[in-house]
Amino acid sequence: MTTPEFDFKAMIQKDRDDRVKRVFESTFLEYLQLVKSNPEVAVLAHQRLYDLIVAKGMEVVRTDENPRLRRIYGNDIIKKYAFFEEDFFGIDKTIMKIVRYFHSAAMAGEESRQVLYLVGPVGAGKSSLMEALKKSLEVAAPVYALKGCPMREEPLHLVPKHLRKEFEETLGVKIEGDLCPVCRYRLKNEYAGEYERFPVESVGFSIRSRKGIGVVPPVDPNNQDSSILTGSVDISKIDLYPEDDPRVLSLNGAFNAGNRGIVEFIEVFKNETEYLHTMITATQEKSIPSPGKGAMIYFDGVIVAHSNEAEWNKFKSDHTNEAILDRIVRIEVPYCLELNEEIKIYEKMLSKSKFRAHIAPHTIEIASMFAILTRLSPSNKVDPMTKLKIYNGEEILEKGMTRKIDIFELREEAPREGMTGISTRFIMKALDTALSESENDCINPIAVMESLIKSVKELGIGDDEKERYLRLIYDTVKKEYNKILEKEVTKAFIHGYREQAESLFNNYLDHAEAFVNKTKIKDKNTGEELEPDEKFMRSIEEQIGISDTAVKGFRSDVTAYMFFVMRNGGSLDYTSYEPLKDAIEKKLTTSVRDLSRIITQAKVRDKEQTQKYNTMVEEMKKNGYCDHCCNVILKYAANNLWKD
């Protein structure tokens, strides 16, 4: 079978033609007509980036319609921006703060004259957020600039100061800024001051070509040179032109390159303080020093800096840095603390890799659990795994009580949570190791736990911290996985698991409702009116530790919640109320525990046992297991779940 030919030439030509259509090259006079018809072409840098972010759409999440999100965020308004949704997970509030900064700056608020500073632990996503902003400029519509200008500056700078008010009223835009020295020289000497003849062209943004995007890496303190920021004097031209002639200037610094776009400072506080003073004028005065003895040059750009918290604390502690600190909008970028969102991070990263091995159910979940547990602070109110579930929006009751554990109280206990712990990079390396060492093109939770243990032992951290991480794997993650696995085996073992769970749920709901309303239940077969079955209800409630004194409150909570769901048009099933779901699943697990233990552990099975075992295997394969991982998982279950 031959592969059909694809017309690559046509594809290339179409792209070339499309680019030609977007090219604009004319005089300033024609540009003025363009601005008159569409004032948006003359927006400043902060406005441009804000427009790019919101252009992809924004969704306001109503937490009152989503019980899980309400448990996480309370009554807070959560905005999700499509611009970030494919690459960033579990940091919605951080993203909202970033967008709020751009919105305020776009409105010419104080933030338009301040540095956006992202601080957080390694691997939390600071650099990725920066890359997203820079790449959005690369695919954005071109801007209009004075042709040949090293600063790619706004053409409206040509309008003389005494005419600006009249031009602003006519065009409907605010004209800010002044010509750079190079364009001022050209206007006078090449166009005899006739600014309407000055050529204007459309120019795009490029990270690689340093067009509208400047990057400042950490510089050796012994070799810091301001030319990296603001350009230099071209020594080769000193013999040709006077020292104050703009033609000797080489405006190729990061601020020159980032004009109209972004200037990024990587690990910003690794630089000497004096080196950062250019930021003060670039933000507050919107101007940067000219190389040599020239006048200040107007700068319109977004300055974004980032570093880790240790460097921030060191810089902040020096009172002589107050001038810079006063010009910084600081936004924390913590690690994700929400299990469901952490899982999405690794799924995204694995989808971009070339690994194509089978990944058994709960494998990524187990790795994500460990990552989040290392980031959570210990609490006297709950154990680590319970805290993880609460932060994931699961409904957790205090043991033997009907009172729900308050997520906001837990957060108040540990306001720095998410700023320390294991990074996503560490987890990805452990997953990569497990995938690389897999001999059957399949990885499972057991292999990943082994990989995590090995990776932790090789970590260059203190012994106490290393011991804590290992305990989390052995004592917390492994125990939780055993519970998950027992539930998986139970589901596979019980034919029609969901139907049985729904039956228990409906029966419990009927009896609890009758108990709360002090009514009787009508037997569906005999029509006889019966008292609510106390023994049946307690057999379920005891599974999650509801005490005798708390049953009344629990039953009232269950029925009230179910009525709330129905009133709001929701559908009811056994998973609707998290504590009851947990109780029902534990009840079903208990009911078949002995039988599943015997079948799984048996070295030699009779015909009936073999049939049940094979049925269980087939059911597990339907739920995402392959032959290899199913075999490994069931052997693990036999050896670890049902010890006498």
Side-chain angles (χ1 to χ4, degrees):
M1 181 178 176
T2 58
T3 305
E5 288 188 11
F6 186 81
D7 195 344
F8 290 105
K9 186 176 180 181
M11 182 178 71
I12 294 167
Q13 190 60 47
K14 181 180 182 302
D15 175 68
R16 189 168 291 142
D17 292 343
D18 289 343
R19 288 178 180 274
V20 169
K21 288 175 187 175
R22 294 201 300 268
V23 171
F24 174 93
E25 188 169 333
S26 189
T27 63
F28 179 60
L29 203 58
E30 188 172 335
Y31 174 70
L32 287 172
Q33 294 296 337
L34 195 66
V35 177
K36 174 69 176 168
S37 62
N38 180 18
E40 295 298 313
V41 302
V43 298
L44 299 179
H46 286 91
Q47 176 80 58
R48 183 176 299 108
L49 263 167
Y50 176 70
D51 290 345
L52 287 172
I53 291 170
V54 298
K56 290 197 172 184
M58 181 267 291
E59 176 193 3
V60 177
V61 179
R62 290 180 58 89
T63 55
D64 56 336
E65 294 178 357
N66 188 320
R68 178 177 171 274
L69 291 180
R70 187 176 181 81
R71 288 192 285 270
I72 296 173
Y73 298 114
N75 296 320
D76 291 351
I77 294 173
I78 301 301
K79 296 178 181 178
K80 288 185 176 285
Y81 294 89
F83 182 92
F84 297 99
E85 69 180 359
E86 291 183 6
D87 294 306
F88 300 96
F89 307 97
I91 55 169
D92 289 327
K93 287 206 166 185
T94 297
I95 287 170
M96 284 169 61
K97 289 176 184 176
I98 292 171
V99 179
R100 195 180 303 138
Y101 162 84
F102 279 109
H103 186 208
S104 179
M107 298 296 104
E110 180 58 27
E111 277 85 347
S112 66
R113 297 178 182 274
Q114 297 208 323
V115 176
L116 174 62
Y117 170 61
L118 306 178
V119 58
V122 294
K126 303 183 296 296
S127 299
S128 298
L129 285 164
M130 270 305 313
E131 288 303 308
L133 293 172
K134 291 189 293 188
K135 286 177 181 176
S136 71
L137 284 173
E138 285 197 306
V139 298
V143 295
Y144 298 90
L146 295 178
K147 188 173 182 180
C149 175
M151 300 280 292
R152 298 152 45 90
E153 68 182 307
E154 167 59 56
L156 291 176
H157 292 176
L158 288 166
V159 179
K161 294 287 177 66
H162 67 278
L163 286 176
R164 285 198 175 181
K165 187 174 182 181
E166 190 176 340
F167 269 80
E168 286 174 349
E169 290 173 356
T170 305
L171 297 173
V173 299
K174 174 74 175 171
I175 302 175
E176 183 182 290
D178 202 0
L179 287 172
C180 75
V182 174
C183 291
R184 191 180 300 116
Y185 177 89
R186 290 179 60 206
L187 174 62
K188 181 180 178 181
N189 293 278
E190 294 179 27
Y191 301 100
E194 297 175 359
Y195 54 88
E196 71 275 15
R197 294 196 296 120
F198 207 112
V200 174
E201 65 179 350
S202 57
V203 291
F205 293 85
S206 171
I207 299 171
R208 184 173 56 187
S209 302
R210 299 180 80 241
K211 293 179 180 178
I213 300 170
V215 179
V216 184
V219 180
D220 180 1
N222 299 318
N223 192 30
Q224 289 189 344
D225 185 352
S226 62
S227 65
I228 293 173
L229 302 179
T230 58
S232 60
V233 172
D234 190 340
I235 299 173
S236 67
K237 295 179 180 178
I238 290 290
D239 292 339
L240 302 174
Y241 308 112
E243 189 179 348
D244 60 350
D245 192 308
R247 286 174 292 182
V248 305
L249 300 180
S250 182
L251 301 180
N252 58 2
F255 280 104
N256 310 121
N259 191 46
R260 311 287 300 280
I262 285 181
V263 178
E264 176 190 12
F265 280 80
I266 301 170
E267 300 294 342
V268 59
F269 297 127
K270 280 189 168 73
N271 298 300
E272 290 294 321
T273 305
E274 291 75 17
Y275 188 71
L276 302 178
H277 283 167
T278 306
M279 284 201 308
I280 296 177
T281 56
T283 54
Q284 207 64 31
E285 311 301 329
K286 296 199 80 168
S287 60
I288 56 173
S290 174
K293 300 177 181 179
M296 299 292 282
I297 301 174
Y298 174 77
F299 170 77
D300 166 39
V302 179
I303 304 175
V304 185
H306 51 90
S307 75
N308 61 52
E309 198 171 25
E311 288 168 359
W312 161 257
N313 289 333
K314 181 181 176 183
F315 186 83
K316 184 180 65 171
S317 64
D318 187 344
H319 72 278
T320 61
N321 296 329
E322 288 176 358
I324 296 176
L325 290 169
D326 192 47
R327 290 163 173 82
I328 286 176
V329 174
R330 176 175 171 271
I331 296 177
E332 290 185 353
V333 184
Y335 287 131
C336 173
L337 296 178
E338 193 178 328
L339 180 62
N340 288 5
E341 297 298 301
E342 185 77 6
I343 291 169
K344 291 176 186 176
I345 294 173
Y346 305 120
E347 288 176 340
K348 178 201 75 174
M349 295 170 84
L350 285 170
S351 70
K352 292 181 178 180
S353 74
K354 293 184 179 180
F355 287 114
R356 292 295 174 263
H358 175 255
I359 299 176
H362 308 294
T363 301
I364 298 176
E365 180 184 358
I366 290 302
S368 302
M369 277 183 187
F370 171 65
I372 291 176
L373 286 167
T374 66
R375 302 165 188 171
L376 296 178
S377 300
S379 171
N380 294 325
K381 297 178 179 177
V382 291
D383 62 81
M385 185 54 69
T386 301
K387 189 173 187 179
L388 178 145
K389 292 178 180 179
I390 293 168
Y391 277 33
N392 195 42
E394 297 176 35
E395 195 155 33
I396 306 293
L397 300 176
E398 286 193 29
K399 192 160 187 177
M401 306 279 288
T402 60
R403 192 173 84 91
K404 299 171 184 67
I405 301 171
D406 191 345
I407 190 172
F408 304 105
E409 288 181 13
L410 295 177
R411 285 179 181 154
E412 283 176 11
E413 276 187 325
R416 307 299 307 143
E417 226 161 28
M419 300 299 280
T420 58
I422 286 291
S423 73
T424 52
R425 293 189 192 121
F426 176 91
I427 299 297
M428 270 310 301
K429 284 188 278 189
L431 288 170
D432 288 350
T433 300
L435 286 160
S436 301
E437 294 178 353
S438 168
E439 296 179 358
N440 296 277
D441 289 328
C442 171
I443 62 168
N444 55 66
I446 300 146
V448 165
M449 280 191 278
E450 290 173 357
S451 180
L452 287 171
I453 290 167
K454 183 178 177 182
S455 299
V456 168
K457 287 180 177 178
E458 293 172 355
L459 258 180
I461 57 175
D463 290 342
D464 289 347
E465 192 73 349
K466 191 177 291 188
E467 183 61 31
R468 183 174 81 87
Y469 287 172
L470 290 172
R471 280 201 312 272
L472 284 173
I473 299 173
Y474 289 124
D475 298 341
T476 307
V477 176
K478 191 172 183 180
K479 285 180 180 177
E480 184 62 23
Y481 176 62
N482 288 353
K483 291 178 186 176
I484 293 170
L485 181 56
E486 186 170 22
K487 195 182 295 181
E488 289 271 284
V489 173
T490 302
K491 284 183 179 180
F493 196 85
I494 301 177
H495 180 68
Y497 176 89
R498 187 173 184 94
E499 289 81 358
Q500 292 199 37
E502 292 291 356
S503 177
L504 281 174
F505 169 75
N506 289 323
N507 283 338
Y508 180 85
L509 206 56
D510 289 341
H511 286 270
E513 185 182 348
F515 173 86
V516 170
N517 295 328
K518 297 180 179 174
T519 58
K520 294 188 177 182
I521 290 177
K522 195 171 185 178
D523 189 283
K524 293 177 183 177
N525 298 317
T526 65
E528 183 183 2
E529 289 193 337
L530 304 170
E531 293 291 334
D533 191 337
E534 187 69 28
K535 187 177 179 182
F536 165 69
M537 287 188 287
R538 291 300 292 134
S539 72
I540 291 177
E541 293 155 353
E542 286 169 352
Q543 301 295 329
I544 53 171
I546 300 296
S547 65
D548 290 337
T549 55
V551 294
K552 186 176 180 181
F554 181 76
R555 293 167 191 175
S556 296
D557 283 353
V558 171
T559 52
Y561 181 76
M562 297 307 170
F563 280 124
F564 167 79
V565 171
M566 288 190 291
R567 278 198 307 273
N568 286 277
S571 58
L572 288 180
D573 60 37
Y574 91 96
T575 64
S576 297
Y577 190 64
E578 195 68 37
L580 187 54
K581 168 183 172 284
D582 191 28
I584 287 170
E585 289 182 341
K586 285 182 177 178
K587 167 93 172 157
L588 284 172
T589 301
T590 303
S591 68
V592 297
R593 179 172 290 156
D594 289 343
L595 195 53
S596 56
R597 174 177 61 84
I598 292 166
I599 297 296
T600 309
Q601 288 183 333
K603 303 293 184 199
V604 179
R605 301 182 183 93
D606 59 29
K607 187 177 180 181
E608 184 182 353
Q609 288 176 333
T610 300
Q611 187 178 358
K612 285 184 177 180
Y613 182 84
N614 291 340
T615 302
M616 180 172 62
V617 169
E618 289 305 312
E619 197 63 33
M620 290 186 74
K621 285 164 69 175
K622 287 179 190 176
N623 294 328
Y625 293 91
C626 69
D627 284 318
H628 172 72
C629 63
C630 191
N631 181 46
V632 172
I633 293 296
L634 288 175
K635 281 181 179 176
Y636 174 86
N639 294 327
N640 291 272
L641 295 192
W642 302 292
K643 292 182 178 179
D644 295 327

